[in-house]
């Protein structure tokens, strides 16, 4: 009875009590007219109760199940009428009903309708082969019959051997009971879990009735039956079981959407129970000698063997079914299973008070990992992510991988705890993932939505879509990385590049922007500006950093953060790198021509560092312009270096062999590792703005900065501090040994033409008007 025992038990207490009272009464009182009337009345009452319960079950059921219970209601009603007629005979005519009587006509109707009802109980389409069902049916029917025959029916047969009509009537009820029981057992084998309880109770009811009918047939054959016989209580018990089955059926929740067919536990052994009974009870009764013991042992062995092989089959099927619903890489649920669970959760939610929430998660910039580390490392990383997510979920929640780097969590429970889970998930990404020796810090974008109680008609599809919209909003906003769905969020077509979404605006606008970007690249529409790098000790300009700009005809001057992700994700890296490099070196040639030897630094995207011909290309670009190689510095970001140490190391070593300088950019911004300072041959470390900003206010930050400056010097590299905006910071850095500074304090990025002005000049002499600020 599982989930709904209380109401069912409450409704069963009275009828059960009546049956027990009847059993006691019939057992003790012996034959007298008052007892007979009470007996008839009680049985009649119990049947009416069972009929009402069946009618209620029919009313709350749907489809085939409704038909099944409607037929069962009619059958029980016929039985009740039969008992009613019997009662009238005893009460009014003061005599026993003759055999056969009008009551028998209704009992026959019961038998026919009940058999018909039993055929309607399976609502699932047939999965097993019909042959197997037929064979199961034949085995069960024959074994039950054999059992009944050995135990009782052969005496009935002996009694009516010469009177065929009487024999037919005497065997009619036991035969219809056995037919019903056979159907019930075979149905039970194929039933879904939720129907199994109902069918088990129903089978119990029929089995009890069969015992009563067979005993009755034996008693009548020996002319030993009279109303008031204790056997009457057994019919009462059958009626109570019918009522119980109906009540449980009413309480069974709406079906879970069908998943893959895996046979129930019961189907493994249930078909063999009748065989086991017939084969072990029969032989000792009808056989003699050693066969009496040998045959039962053989039967038991065969039954065991069959059950074991059925169990093995089932294990294979379960494994196959499980595979079909799992993501092979992470072992998490796949989309099919997730959708299935979500649909079920939404159905349950409408029945009982339960919270359902969906969390949608997408990893930021995972394409970078794929491009840089290769698919097998990326796969291992995804598996690790899967494990962490699974650790964040509560028991009962479903964690699924729903796409390449997309995951989803279904949060089900009595209370809404989606906030706490989302926070746990977000925190789980604070620790870097270690894969193949790389420490990789991943960030997720997380969208959460809770199925509100005020929207009873909410569909699973809409809920998932909302989570996706919230996730895209998180991706656009970047911070905070967890966003809860709200109606004013703009949906983003998930298919339109997630980088595009991040750059702002809706999907269509992003596609347009991408087209314009390609055009700008083709038609030299991208610009490069230069930010001076100043020697902190002398105040001289010691170089410039080339920074990308896109003067957009409508949107104005766009900064890299608006379109860099588009470049990365749309495979435009190489073209843009070449473009910036050409411009920067052309400008350097011009400055050189004016006797200004200004070293220029260019930022490289990660994938460029995997190109083994990159050093040669750079060298050729410098050589054909007659520029010395040490005029060029390439800036690489530390997370890039970390993630692909071997390849990158080789490329960087070649670059340095040619004389090109290498700088580590944004040091201290991500998950810094000192180890690559040791492993990589570099010329310059650029301390990130956020790393140096607190040095004047936070002694601990100052201590760390000081240590990094000293360490860099020990390794023979130059220290450059980025993003210096105030004099105090510049002074501190100079006093603590930092070599070079860069930042708005010294100059914003400016066009090439203005750089000649800086060259060789003391920065303090530069007129503020010469400095062009980005908008
Ligand atoms: P980055 O390499 O760290 O470049 C420094 C960024 O800090 C520049 O932003 C610069 O304008 C800004 N900045 C300089 N001084 C200050 C300051 O005092 N305060 C503040 N708040 N900011 C300052 P920008 O030009 O927007 O570039 C952003 C990032 O875009 C760069 O960071 C670099 O990673 C990337 N980037 C720019 N141009 C290129 C390029 O040609 N190729 C590649 N691969 N990446 C580029
Ligand atoms: Ca840089
Ligand atoms: Ca930087």
């Amino acid at each position: 009875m599982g989930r709904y025992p209380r109401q069912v038990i409450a409704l069963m207490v009275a009828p059960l009590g009546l049956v027990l009272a009847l059993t006691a009464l019939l057992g003790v009182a012996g034959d007298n007219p008052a007892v007979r009337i009470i007996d008839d009345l009680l049985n009649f009452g119990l049947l009416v109760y069972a009929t009402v319960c069946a009618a209620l079950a029919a009313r709350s059921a749907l489809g085939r199940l409704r038909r099944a219970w409607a037929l069962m209601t009619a059958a029980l009603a016929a039985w009740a009428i039969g008992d009613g007629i019997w009662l009238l005979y005893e009460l009014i005519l003061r005599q026993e009903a003759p055999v056969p009587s009008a009551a028998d006509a209704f009992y026959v109707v019961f038998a026919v309708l009940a058999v018909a009802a039993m055929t309607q109980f399976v609502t699932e389409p047939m999965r097993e082969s019909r042959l197997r069902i037929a064979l199961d049916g034949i085995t069960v029917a024959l074994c039950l019959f054999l059992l009944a025959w050995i135990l009782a029916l052969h005496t009935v047969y002996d009694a009516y051997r010469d009177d065929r009509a009487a024999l037919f009537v005497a065997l009619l009820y036991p035969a219809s009971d056995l037919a019903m029981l056979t159907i019930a057992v075979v149905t039970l084998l194929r039933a879904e879990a939720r129907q199994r309880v109902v069918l088990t109770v129903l089978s119990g009811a029929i089995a009890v009735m069969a015992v009563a009918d067979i005993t009755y047939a034996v008693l009548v054959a020996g002319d030993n039956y009279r109303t008031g016989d204790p056997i009457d209580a057994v019919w009462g018990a059958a009626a109570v079981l019918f009522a119980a089955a109906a009540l449980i059926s009413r309480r069974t929740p709406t079906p879970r959407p069908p998943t893959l067919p895996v046979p129930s536990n019961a189907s493994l052994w249930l078909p063999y129970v009748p065989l086991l009974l017939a084969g072990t009870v029969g032989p000792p009764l009808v056989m003699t000698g050693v066969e009496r013991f040998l045959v039962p042992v053989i039967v038991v062995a065969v039954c065991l063997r069959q059950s074991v092989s059925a169990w093995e089959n089932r294990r294979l099927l379960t494994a196959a079914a499980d595979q079909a619903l799992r993501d092979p890489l992470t072992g998490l649920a796949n989309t099919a299973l997730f959708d299935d669970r979500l649909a079920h959760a939404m159905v349950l939610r409408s029945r009982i008070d339960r919270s359902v929430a969906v969390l949608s998660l997408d990893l930021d910039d995972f394409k970078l990992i794929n491009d840089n580390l290769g698919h097998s490392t990326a796969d291992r990383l995804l598996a690790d992510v899967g494990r962490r997510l699974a650790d964040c979920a509560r028991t009962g929640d479903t964690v699924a991988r729903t796409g390449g780097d997309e995951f989803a969590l279904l949060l089900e429970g009595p209370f809404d705890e989606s906030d706490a889970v989302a926070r746990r998930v977000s925190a789980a990404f604070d620790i870097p993932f270690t894969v193949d020796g790389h420490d990789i810090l991943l960030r997720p974008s997380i969208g959460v939505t809770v199925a509100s109680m005020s929207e009873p008609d909410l569909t699973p599809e809409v809920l998932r879509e909302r989570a996706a919209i919230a996730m895209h909003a998180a991706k656009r906003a970047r911070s905070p990385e967890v966003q809860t769905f709200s109606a004013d969020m703009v949906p983003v077509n998930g298919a339109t590049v997630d980088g595009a979404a991040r750059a702002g605006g809706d999907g269509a606008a992003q596609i347009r922007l991408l087209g314009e970007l390609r055009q700008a690249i083709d038609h030299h529409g991208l610009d490069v500006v230069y930010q001076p790098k100043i020697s902190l000790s002398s105040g001289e300009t010691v170089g410039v950093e080339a920074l990308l700009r896109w003067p957009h005809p409508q949107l104005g001057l766009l900064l890299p953060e608006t379109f860099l992700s588009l470049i990365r994700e749309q495979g435009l890296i190489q073209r843009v790198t070449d473009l910036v490099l050409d411009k920067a070196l052309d400008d350097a040639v011009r400055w050189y021509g004016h006797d200004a030897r200004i070293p220029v630094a260019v930022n490289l995207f990660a994938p460029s560092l995997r190109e083994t011909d990159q050093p040669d290309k750079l060298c050729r670009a410098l050589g054909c312009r007659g520029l010395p190689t040490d005029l060029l510095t390439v800036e690489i970001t530390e997370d890039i270096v970390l993630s692909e140490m071997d390849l990158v190391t080789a490329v960087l070593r070649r670059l340095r062999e040619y004389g090109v300088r290498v700088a580590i950019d944004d040091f201290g911004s991500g998950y810094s590792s000192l180890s690559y300072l040791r492993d990589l041959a570099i010329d310059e470390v650029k301390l990130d703005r956020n790393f140096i900003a607190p040095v004047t206010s936070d002694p601990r930050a100052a201590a760390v900065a000081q240590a990094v400056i000293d360490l860099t010097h020990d390794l023979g590299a130059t220290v450059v501090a980025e993003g210096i905006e105030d004099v105090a910071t510049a002074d501190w850095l100079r006093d603590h040994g930092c070599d070079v500074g860069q930042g708005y304090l010294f100059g914003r990025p400016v066009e090439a033409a203005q750089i000649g002005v800086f060259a060789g000049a003391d920065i303090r002499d530069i007129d503020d008007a010469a400095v062009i600020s980005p908008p």
Side-chain angles (χ1 to χ4, degrees):
M1 280 180 227
R3 263 166 281 182
Y4 309 100
R6 233 173 284 148
Q7 297 102 312
V8 174
I9 289 174
L11 289 167
M12 292 312 301
V13 167
L16 262 175
L18 287 181
V19 170
L20 288 178
L22 181 62
T23 313
L25 179 71
L26 298 182
V28 174
D31 189 15
N32 83 59
V35 171
R36 275 192 243 160
I37 298 292
I38 293 172
D39 172 8
D40 284 344
L41 270 173
L42 278 182
N43 263 312
F44 178 69
L46 289 171
L47 272 169
V48 171
Y49 185 69
T51 310
V52 171
C53 291
L56 291 175
R59 214 183 59 171
S60 69
L62 298 169
R64 266 176 88 98
L65 206 58
R66 180 176 214 142
R67 209 152 52 220
W69 278 114
L71 282 167
M72 195 51 93
T73 308
L76 290 168
W79 185 0
I81 294 173
D83 270 16
I85 292 172
W86 193 283
L87 174 67
L88 288 180
Y89 269 109
E90 304 233 348
L91 202 65
I92 298 168
L93 304 177
R94 302 261 166 206
Q95 65 170 75
E96 284 231 330
V99 179
S101 68
D104 282 285
F106 284 97
Y107 295 150
V108 171
V109 171
F110 164 79
V112 172
L113 289 177
V115 169
M118 288 312 298
T119 63
Q120 299 297 308
F121 266 101
V122 167
T123 48
E124 302 304 313
M126 281 202 208
R127 289 179 187 139
E128 298 92 342
S129 73
R130 280 164 198 275
L131 180 64
R132 211 181 89 194
I133 293 169
L135 288 174
D136 275 350
I138 291 171
T139 316
V140 171
L142 289 180
C143 289
L144 288 175
F145 181 75
L146 183 64
L147 203 60
W149 183 265
I150 293 170
L151 289 177
L153 292 183
H154 71 277
T155 49
V156 178
Y157 179 78
D158 287 343
Y160 299 110
R161 194 191 291 262
D162 304 320
D163 183 350
R164 294 203 164 201
L167 183 64
F168 176 78
V169 174
L171 291 184
L172 180 67
Y173 302 129
S176 71
D177 289 343
L178 294 185
M180 271 193 278
L181 195 53
T182 302
I183 298 173
V185 170
V186 173
T187 308
L188 189 55
L189 295 184
R190 298 161 51 207
E192 286 275 301
R194 70 205 150 80
Q195 269 295 309
R196 236 171 263 154
V197 185
V198 175
L199 281 166
T200 306
V201 179
L202 215 45
S203 305
I206 298 168
V208 168
M209 199 173 60
V211 169
D213 283 344
I214 291 169
T215 315
Y216 171 76
V218 173
L219 290 176
V220 170
D223 202 12
N224 289 329
Y225 177 79
R226 315 218 53 209
T227 303
D229 190 282
I231 192 77
D232 289 355
V234 182
W235 273 308
V240 169
L241 284 172
F242 275 112
L247 289 172
I248 296 167
S249 177
R250 251 187 98 210
R251 297 272 159 204
T252 305
T254 316
R256 207 190 156 112
T259 46
L260 281 178
V262 171
S264 66
N265 250 325
S267 73
L268 304 186
W269 50 263
L270 201 56
Y272 305 109
V273 170
L275 180 59
L276 208 58
L277 284 175
T280 53
V281 176
L285 292 179
V286 297
M287 290 180 181
T288 52
V290 71
E291 304 93 300
R292 304 173 62 199
F293 308 105
L294 257 184
V295 173
V297 171
I298 293 171
V299 170
V300 169
V302 170
C303 288
L304 278 179
R305 194 245 165 245
Q306 289 299 85
S307 294
V308 165
S309 84
W311 179 75
E312 282 169 354
N313 270 342
R314 179 176 185 262
R315 218 180 37 183
L316 287 176
L317 255 177
T318 313
D322 195 53
Q323 285 281 304
L325 296 172
R326 299 268 152 209
D327 166 48
L329 182 65
T330 58
L332 299 176
N334 64 13
T335 310
L337 181 56
F338 185 85
D339 286 346
D340 179 67
R341 295 255 172 98
L342 177 59
H344 183 242
M346 294 297 275
V347 171
L348 266 191
R349 173 184 93 106
S350 61
R351 296 249 161 160
I352 40 178
D353 206 5
R354 262 173 93 77
S355 159
V356 178
V358 173
L359 184 153
S360 174
L361 181 149
D362 188 289
L363 300 173
D364 293 345
D365 301 318
F366 197 74
K367 200 174 174 311
L368 266 182
I369 309 262
N370 250 325
D371 291 347
N372 289 292
L373 303 189
H375 285 278
S376 68
T377 305
D379 281 356
R380 273 191 289 279
L381 194 57
L382 286 173
D384 279 356
V385 170
R387 269 188 289 275
R388 278 202 201 167
L389 289 178
D391 287 345
C392 297
R394 306 160 302 171
T395 27
D397 292 340
T398 303
V399 184
R401 177 164 168 244
T402 52
D405 61 345
E406 288 164 29
F407 295 83
L409 273 74
L410 168 62
L411 312 173
E412 286 179 81
F415 317 105
D416 171 28
E417 293 180 327
S418 57
D419 267 354
V421 176
R423 258 183 277 121
R424 265 209 301 278
V425 169
S426 172
F429 285 83
D430 289 344
I431 307 157
F433 293 83
T434 306
V435 179
D436 299 342
H438 307 301
D439 284 336
I440 299 163
L441 197 59
L442 286 175
R443 281 328 303 175
S445 296
I446 299 169
V448 183
T449 186
V450 185
S452 152
M453 285 300 162
S454 62
E455 292 177 288
D457 298 331
L458 198 63
T459 62
E461 293 76 26
V462 171
L463 199 65
R464 265 198 79 175
E465 201 178 302
R466 286 184 180 176
I469 290 172
M471 184 274 287
H472 281 293
K475 207 164 258 297
R476 276 196 299 265
R478 278 277 163 153
S479 170
E481 63 194 13
V482 180
Q483 296 270 343
T484 303
F485 174 81
S486 66
D488 57 347
M489 283 181 175
V490 194
V492 169
N493 179 358
T496 60
V497 274
D498 75 26
R502 197 176 311 130
D506 59 75
Q510 287 307 305
I511 288 172
R512 197 170 58 239
L513 194 69
L514 176 61
E516 290 164 346
L517 177 62
R518 287 185 196 280
Q519 212 169 25
I521 294 170
D522 289 343
H523 298 94
H524 309 286
L526 294 185
D527 254 352
V528 175
V529 291
Y530 301 90
Q531 187 175 32
K533 292 160 89 173
I534 308 298
S535 159
L536 288 176
S537 52
S538 69
E540 278 174 22
T541 300
V542 292
V544 291
E545 177 179 2
L547 295 163
L548 194 57
R549 293 290 180 268
W550 180 11
H552 190 280
Q554 283 89 41
L555 303 174
L557 190 64
L558 296 182
L559 294 178
E561 62 165 13
T562 332
F563 57 94
L564 271 188
S565 53
L566 269 186
I567 291 177
R568 271 198 217 101
E569 279 153 28
Q570 301 302 316
L572 301 169
I573 286 175
Q574 196 54 52
R575 308 216 28 213
V576 171
T577 304
D578 290 349
L579 188 147
V580 173
L581 204 70
D582 281 343
K583 259 195 179 330
L585 294 185
D586 285 346
D587 287 332
V589 169
R590 224 163 291 137
W591 300 324
Y592 215 51
H594 291 93
D595 269 353
R597 188 186 183 282
I598 306 175
V600 59
V602 169
N603 294 285
L604 285 192
F605 289 104
S608 309
L609 292 170
R610 271 199 310 174
E611 311 282 331
T612 41
D613 60 346
Q614 191 70 41
D616 294 314
K617 266 171 73 178
L618 289 182
C619 242
R620 272 199 303 275
L622 287 158
C624 70
R625 290 176 175 87
L627 292 171
T629 47
D630 66 351
L631 204 72
L632 178 67
T633 304
V634 294
E635 296 192 1
I636 57 180
T637 33
E638 57 172 333
D639 53 330
I640 290 162
V641 177
L642 270 176
S643 56
E644 218 174 3
M645 210 60 159
D646 294 345
L647 250 180
V648 169
T649 315
V651 171
L652 293 183
R653 198 178 307 122
R654 289 265 304 290
L655 278 172
R656 291 191 80 228
E657 278 163 16
Y658 283 128
V660 174
R661 289 166 50 85
V662 173
I664 300 275
D665 205 355
D666 301 344
F667 188 89
S669 67
Y671 178 71
S672 306
S673 159
L674 290 177
S675 65
Y676 72 91
L677 279 188
R678 175 197 64 202
D679 298 337
L680 280 181
I682 40 168
D683 303 278
E684 192 175 298
V685 172
K686 297 189 78 174
L687 306 182
D688 190 70
R689 188 163 79 90
N690 296 316
F691 186 72
I692 55 122
V695 288
T696 52
S697 56
D698 177 358
R700 295 175 68 86
V704 175
Q706 176 71 75
V708 170
I709 291 170
D710 292 345
L711 183 67
T712 310
H713 282 156
D714 288 345
L715 294 170
T718 310
V719 184
V720 180
E722 290 187 298
I724 304 176
E725 291 181 348
D726 57 86
V727 178
T729 309
D731 287 346
W732 187 95
L733 286 163
R734 187 191 55 237
D735 295 345
H736 291 81
C738 180
D739 308 295
V740 177
Q742 184 183 344
Y744 293 166
L745 175 69
F746 307 118
R748 290 183 179 251
V750 295
E751 283 166 13
Q754 255 129 356
I755 285 301
V757 183
F758 293 142
D762 189 318
I763 195 70
R764 280 157 294 202
D765 299 338
I766 295 173
D767 182 27
D768 261 358
V771 180
I772 300 175
S773 313

